[in-house]
Amino acid sequence: MALDKETGKEIWRQPLEGLRHTWGTPALVTKDLRTDLVLSLPYHLWGIDPITGEQRWQCEGSQDNAAYSSVIVHEDVVYVTGGRAGGTVAVRAGGEGEVSQTLRLWESGRSGGSASPIYHGDRLYWINNDTAYSIDAKTGHMVYRTRLARGAPIKGPLNGGLTEASPVVSGDTMFQLKRNGEMIIIQLGDQLNELPRSRFTGGGEFVGTPAISKGDMFVRSTKHLYCVGKSGD
């Protein structure tokens, strides 16, 4: 469905099969003056004309029965990770029809869980099941896959610290919020460099992705809203 952002009027509505178990956000990708709306679904990627809602192309995507993460875009290349399985796929946008054999650039067997990865410095980064991943975005080759040290125990049912929020980046530093309020902080580069962790202790569950604006980080739990700034601000 497409709506006029000024009036809210419906512009088009397109019935599409396969949207069940799809939770990620689509993305607009421009190549050669053409823009595609790219959507990740279970087992497939679709490229849709954002003006009419008609499908332009499709490609084999992450081979998972659910599409948890959002589409990640750099220039005209689309990246998508599987959830519990399915791996990671890179596809060049701008095709017509079935493009699995022509525009799919690479695939990797590593999946990302519920969170969406981030693109930074020609790499894809994410954390899944207390393991940090870095993949070369041009080739799909693994840069590192490193098991993280467990944080200090936290009492209660969220002691495992699952990650449902997606990571965010400020400068060359990635922040990954865990469901129990623990924040994993990683200096991005060729090797894993984990910095000291922080923790939000106000209770509740942390499932929303933090937002960064003007040097401040905003974090929401089911009980509180936090704003974190630099020391002395």
Side-chain angles (χ1 to χ4, degrees), residues 20 24 70 82-83 85-86 104-105 113 124 146 165 168 173 183 189 196:
R20 188 178 182 183
S70 299
R104 189 168 59 169
L105 304 179
L124 293 175
T146 306
V168 293
T173 305
M183 182 74 80

Side-chain angles (χ1 to χ4, degrees), residues 205-218:
E205 299 183 27
F206 295 78
V207 295
T209 299
I212 296 177
S213 177
K214 298 180 180 179
D216 294 331
M217 179 183 290
F218 299 87

